[in-house]
Amino acid sequence: MPRKSARAGLSQASTSSQSHSESRIEEHLASSQASLDDQVNNVVRYIVNNAGQNLYFRRADIQKCCGAKVGQQFQQVLEKATAILKNVYGYNILACDQTPSSGKAYIVSNALPYRNYKPDADDIQAKEIQKIVLLLILTHIYMSDGPVPDASVYSFLKSFGIDVNIRHPLFGLIKDYITNVLIKQKFLSLETDPITKKSLFSWGIRAETEINKHELLKFVCKVCKNRQPKAWGNQYKAACSQEFKNERLVDQNAMDVDEE
Amino acid sequence: MGTAFNNTHRYFTQFMLSNGIVTLDNAMKFFEEISPERNTLAFLKTLVIEINREICKQSFKIATTICEITGDKVFVWLNTKSDEVSRLQVGFSAVELEYFHAILQEIVTSEDHVIQYPRAINIASTLTATLSRDNGEKALIRWIKGGYYVKQDERVFLGPRTILEFTTFLRTNTENCSCDLCSELVFVGETCNSCSKTFHKLCINKYLQNQQSCPSCRNTWGDPNSTMDVDSDADPRPSRRRRHN
């Protein structure tokens, strides 16, 4: 009798230890799944809390906030977070390759089509008025078909009566605005030409994804009166191949800009 | 995921995120824009529920409440978790956050839960780090815009967003700030003349449609003469007539 029960006891013990280790594996999987979800949610929270600043996120900062180690895990976390940000919050996460510190960085861009919703007509903030300067610079670079020396940009603005060196009544300190806002927020990109040592302006990654070149071309046509977009071959080609991610609602009036 | 999200959900989420606090009226106006075919309040409420089901995974919530000061019904974007991730928030410096808490403390410990606007500005000079009154005021204006504080007639009150986001902190650090009718926090409302209990204006007004007495002490509401004096002959125990905050 004791033998039988001992054998029974043994086999019972082994089955229970087997199922015990199975359930431990399940538990481990479940907790690592849970911690993966936690990390994903932490990344989403971090980005949602900070997206309004229009700054860029360093890969290192994102890793810090979710506690993941580099490699496979982080890639997964980032992919899932990107999906949630797009699906729930309407944000696109875009990678930018060039940062001074050579770390990978990301910017947040709005994935939703633009809506011209202005409930209070006079609630136009200084920030929005300053965007006119951005528009002019981007147009100049675009129509010049390549990176443009800073001197050229400044004299272009001068032709509108905008002196970047003095405080403008409508636009404020423009040089400041260009360096501290437009370049920082990746609307513009400033590089030094290795040969001529000149500073060159070009479209930043945010401008490439948020500002429609077709619309810009139409604007130029309006200004030049009666020219058709296709008249500018290179520009038209550039507009068609733009990796534009922001579908615009048809709103012609939104592009009206007054020039002095 | 539960409901399939479409752009209506996303537009409203971004709208709440960027505004922080929105009156019901303005929310309806925006909702009519983005959802012209289904634009009643019922649809909006359903939309908010569907959004909350998703954003709660990231500890966010769109809550509804009534502003104690203006009486407006509002939607509020809430961060329901205060931790390292939300403290890594860019946008306010450490000294500005200290300023926020200093103002909060002062309002909560003051009688009637209100401080004068000039006093709020002066608090900027009392902090451990340096904050100019100018920069302090700029921060305060942002908080007022965001629903954290309310300014009325040169006085500063707690805003609906602060009351909701800091509920735990406020419950722990205050006494007698609970409305007996709804169990929520109350800082500015109607007070009983007899027992000094405070209720939300909306709560007590609804209650008084059918009753004339204080829900707490049962004396006639608003009658300054209905103190314990009437009973003091019969009841030799000392009466609690002291008004306390």
Side-chain angles (χ1 to χ4, degrees):
Chain A
M1 282 276 226
R3 243 197 205 170
K4 246 190 186 167
S5 57
R7 219 182 296 144
L10 251 174
S11 57
Q12 240 179 20
S14 65
T15 349
S16 78
S17 80
Q18 193 180 14
S19 61
H20 188 58
S21 62
E22 265 174 18
S23 67
R24 278 185 72 181
I25 293 174
E26 276 173 22
E27 258 179 51
H28 184 70
L29 281 176
S31 79
S32 62
Q33 177 63 36
S35 78
L36 181 74
D37 286 340
D38 280 342
Q39 285 169 6
V40 171
N41 285 328
N42 275 341
V43 172
V44 177
R45 280 192 67 217
Y46 176 67
I47 292 184
V48 169
N49 277 333
N50 296 300
Q53 308 293 317
N54 257 0
L55 302 173
Y56 64 89
F57 297 94
R58 275 182 281 254
R59 191 185 171 101
D61 293 336
I62 302 182
Q63 284 176 324
K64 214 194 297 174
C65 81
C66 71
K69 286 153 251 156
V70 198
Q72 256 272 332
Q73 178 91 330
F74 182 67
Q75 223 13 67
Q76 250 196 328
V77 170
L78 198 56
E79 274 170 23
K80 286 187 174 220
T82 304
I84 294 179
L85 285 161
K86 178 107 194 255
N87 201 22
V88 177
Y89 299 88
Y91 287 151
N92 272 332
I93 304 298
L94 307 165
C96 9
D97 352 78
Q98 291 142 338
T99 25
S101 43
S102 80
K104 221 177 182 188
Y106 305 90
I107 58 165
V108 182
S109 183
N110 204 333
L112 301 178
Y114 173 75
R115 296 195 81 95
N116 197 10
Y117 181 71
K118 290 259 176 302
D120 315 306
D122 6 75
D123 196 23
I124 301 172
Q125 295 170 330
K127 275 198 275 180
E128 293 173 13
I129 296 182
Q130 281 179 319
K131 288 271 164 71
I132 295 176
V133 172
L134 172 65
L135 195 68
L136 294 175
I137 298 176
L138 288 176
T139 309
H140 181 55
I141 300 171
Y142 176 46
M143 298 312 286
S144 306
D145 220 12
V148 172
D150 53 359
S152 166
V153 169
Y154 300 148
S155 66
F156 177 72
L157 291 175
K158 199 73 184 282
S159 67
F160 291 102
I162 302 171
D163 186 341
V164 298
N165 292 312
I166 60 171
R167 183 184 275 277
H168 191 271
L170 207 56
F171 303 124
L173 292 165
I174 297 175
K175 266 234 177 105
D176 247 9
Y177 177 59
I178 292 177
T179 335
N180 295 337
V181 180
L182 297 181
I183 294 179
K184 227 177 181 190
Q185 294 184 4
K186 308 279 180 194
F187 281 107
L188 290 178
S189 159
L190 188 61
E191 273 146 30
T192 320
D193 187 297
I195 306 167
T196 62
K197 302 289 184 214
K198 282 209 185 129
S199 295
L200 300 172
F201 277 114
S202 47
W203 280 46
I205 182 173
R206 191 182 291 280
E208 282 287 346
T209 47
E210 291 187 358
I211 300 175
N212 190 334
K213 287 180 176 164
H214 277 294
E215 295 290 326
L216 226 55
L217 201 49
K218 278 194 218 155
F219 164 59
V220 172
C221 292
K222 254 195 210 169
V223 171
C224 296
K225 307 217 199 269
N226 296 327
R227 299 229 22 207
Q228 288 305 302
K230 294 204 175 139
W232 282 283
N234 283 344
Q235 279 75 15
Y236 191 74
K237 238 198 290 186
C240 290
S241 60
Q242 182 183 21
E243 267 189 41
F244 184 66
K245 291 207 161 92
N246 198 358
E247 293 308 310
R248 233 190 203 223
L249 288 183
V250 179
D251 189 356
Q252 298 294 90
N253 297 327
M255 287 300 282
D256 283 338
V257 175
D258 290 324
E259 294 169 28
E260 291 301 307
Chain B
M1 191 166 65
T3 339
F5 256 46
N6 58 33
N7 276 348
T8 309
H9 295 90
R10 298 174 194 120
Y11 275 123
F12 195 74
T13 302
Q14 286 191 4
F15 179 70
M16 283 310 307
L17 186 55
S18 53
N19 286 302
I21 185 171
V22 177
T23 62
L24 190 65
D25 285 342
N26 286 340
M28 281 300 293
K29 271 195 212 146
F30 183 74
F31 185 58
E32 281 158 14
E33 269 268 325
I34 61 178
S35 176
E37 312 93 45
R38 299 175 166 188
N39 58 4
T40 62
L41 183 60
F43 280 118
L44 179 56
K45 287 187 172 167
T46 310
L47 186 81
V48 170
I49 292 174
E50 289 167 356
I51 292 175
N52 277 335
R53 239 180 248 143
E54 287 309 314
I55 63 178
C56 70
K57 298 173 189 167
Q58 287 91 41
S59 308
F60 294 123
K61 183 177 177 191
I62 298 175
T64 47
T65 185
I66 297 177
C67 176
E68 289 178 343
I69 314 303
T70 62
D72 290 331
K73 288 206 181 103
V74 291
F75 282 110
V76 175
W77 178 273
L78 290 183
N79 206 331
T80 63
K81 195 172 171 196
S82 166
D83 62 352
E84 279 316 306
V85 176
S86 46
R87 272 189 222 118
L88 289 171
Q89 246 182 290
V90 174
F92 289 110
S93 65
V95 68
E96 282 166 340
L97 294 177
E98 190 193 341
Y99 182 43
F100 181 91
H101 277 278
I103 297 177
L104 179 63
Q105 270 298 116
E106 192 141 328
I107 294 179
V108 159
T109 52
S110 73
E111 200 176 329
D112 297 334
H113 304 124
V114 60
I115 62 175
Q116 298 293 324
Y117 187 74
R119 170 61 192 158
I121 305 299
N122 282 335
I123 292 177
S125 323
T126 67
L127 308 168
T128 61
T130 323
L131 180 66
S132 72
R133 292 155 58 95
D134 235 14
N135 285 337
E137 185 163 14
K138 285 200 183 112
L140 181 55
I141 289 174
R142 281 171 69 187
W143 291 324
I144 292 171
K145 195 152 189 255
Y148 288 104
Y149 294 113
V150 178
K151 178 174 176 234
Q152 201 187 61
D153 303 331
E154 291 310 292
R155 300 188 303 165
V156 179
F157 303 86
L158 293 183
R161 202 155 169 207
T162 303
I163 297 176
L164 286 179
E165 257 187 30
F166 292 82
T167 301
T168 326
F169 169 82
L170 289 169
R171 276 197 203 277
T172 334
N173 289 287
T174 58
E175 279 178 17
N176 304 315
C177 283
S178 205
C179 170
D180 281 349
L181 288 171
C182 69
S183 314
E184 295 300 322
L185 286 167
V186 60
F187 293 95
V188 172
E190 301 285 344
T191 312
C192 173
N193 288 322
S194 315
C195 67
S196 302
K197 276 249 145 195
T198 310
F199 305 91
H200 289 116
K201 288 191 182 134
L202 203 75
C203 295
I204 192 69
N205 286 338
K206 227 195 261 185
Y207 182 85
L208 291 175
Q209 278 170 3
N210 300 317
Q211 313 276 337
Q212 275 90 51
S213 57
C214 167
S216 184
C217 70
R218 301 286 175 204
N219 285 306
T220 316
W221 182 263
D223 184 357
N225 292 328
S226 69
T227 61
M228 304 291 188
D229 272 339
V230 176
D231 295 329
S232 63
D233 290 331
D235 190 350
R237 282 179 296 172
S239 52
R240 287 173 73 236
R241 227 173 306 145
R242 192 172 97 253
R243 210 176 201 217
H244 55 90
N245 277 318

